[in-house]
Amino acid sequence: MDSRKGGPLRGFVKFTTYFYLYQARLAARPLLTQAVTTSILFGVGDVIAQQAVDKKGIQNHDFVRTGRMVLYGGAVFGPAAATWFRILQRHVNFKSPGATILARVACDQGIFAPTFIGIFLSSMAVLEGSSPKEKLQRSYYEALSTNYMIWPFVQLVNFKFVPLQHRLLFVNTISIGWNCYLSYLNSGAQKKLD
């Protein structure tokens, strides 16, 4: 028997409570809720990149770098991705559900992914005071190639099984690892420029 106060049931109850709170905020203020959630999870990805991948330790943690990721996630990616998912839901529909899913993945990977990888790298360069052109030349194709190994499959699952209001949360959860990679890639590109 678990001797901790409340045991596993307490953890489940807390999770359920947070999920219902999230649902209520999502219903009341969907774009704001998705932007805030995205900013938090972009920050988590950067912290993981710095602590687990770069092994910087808390004393050498670059809080400004984490701040840039949080800002980008909340101000740029969160609102854009939430809007993008609604556009796909509204405008990409075929008689066959399978064709609809494949078309949405194709649009996502053919339009959104290439555009927002470029916007991410350019935004980070501007926030760092470096050249967007040089950052794009050094990192864009590597990031896009890696994207194509992961995201088409994630988006197939997302568009098939996840309700519209939870698609960005699903993507953000998977994105913890992806944002860790992007943060690491961006940081590596910055070191090459210095």
Side-chain angles (χ1 to χ4, degrees):
M1 207 161 118
D2 192 352
S3 62
R4 292 178 294 169
K5 200 174 186 179
L9 183 58
R10 181 182 172 113
F12 177 75
V13 170
K14 275 187 167 182
F15 172 79
T16 304
T17 302
Y18 288 132
F19 185 73
Y20 284 123
L21 288 172
Y22 174 79
Q23 287 283 91
R25 296 309 323 143
L26 188 60
R29 306 280 306 267
L31 194 59
L32 178 62
T33 302
Q34 290 172 323
V36 169
T37 304
T38 302
S39 69
I40 292 167
L41 293 175
F42 263 68
V44 168
D46 182 69
V47 169
I48 293 170
Q50 290 191 54
Q51 298 306 317
V53 179
D54 293 343
K55 299 191 186 316
K56 286 187 166 198
I58 195 70
Q59 299 82 6
N60 296 318
H61 187 88
D62 184 347
F63 290 97
V64 173
R65 174 178 144 180
T66 302
R68 285 191 297 263
M69 291 294 286
V70 167
L71 177 65
Y72 175 82
V76 179
F77 187 82
T83 302
W84 174 248
F85 288 140
R86 285 194 309 275
I87 288 169
L88 290 177
Q89 184 76 17
R90 191 175 312 122
H91 297 291
V92 181
N93 295 295
F94 295 95
K95 289 180 182 176
S96 162
T100 297
I101 292 165
L102 290 176
R104 288 177 184 171
V105 171
C107 288
D108 186 72
Q109 294 302 297
I111 299 168
F112 191 84
T115 302
F116 272 83
I117 287 172
I119 290 171
F120 169 79
L121 293 169
S122 298
S123 298
M124 291 299 115
V126 168
L127 292 171
E128 293 161 354
S130 64
S131 166
K133 182 179 179 182
E134 288 180 22
K135 181 150 307 199
L136 287 168
Q137 287 173 338
R138 292 186 195 284
S139 302
Y140 181 79
Y141 292 106
E142 180 180 348
L144 188 61
S145 298
T146 304
N147 168 84
Y148 289 143
M149 290 187 277
I150 300 165
W151 286 104
F153 308 104
V154 170
Q155 293 296 41
L156 276 170
V157 170
N158 196 20
F159 294 132
K160 174 131 179 92
F161 298 110
V162 180
L164 175 62
Q165 71 271 20
H166 296 299
R167 287 186 184 150
L168 184 57
L169 179 61
F170 176 77
V171 163
N172 283 337
T173 303
I174 303 299
S175 286
I176 291 173
W178 176 249
N179 294 335
C180 178
Y181 165 75
L182 283 180
S183 184
Y184 179 76
L185 179 70
N186 180 64
S187 171
Q190 181 60 33
K191 287 176 190 169
K192 290 176 190 173
L193 291 173
D194 290 341

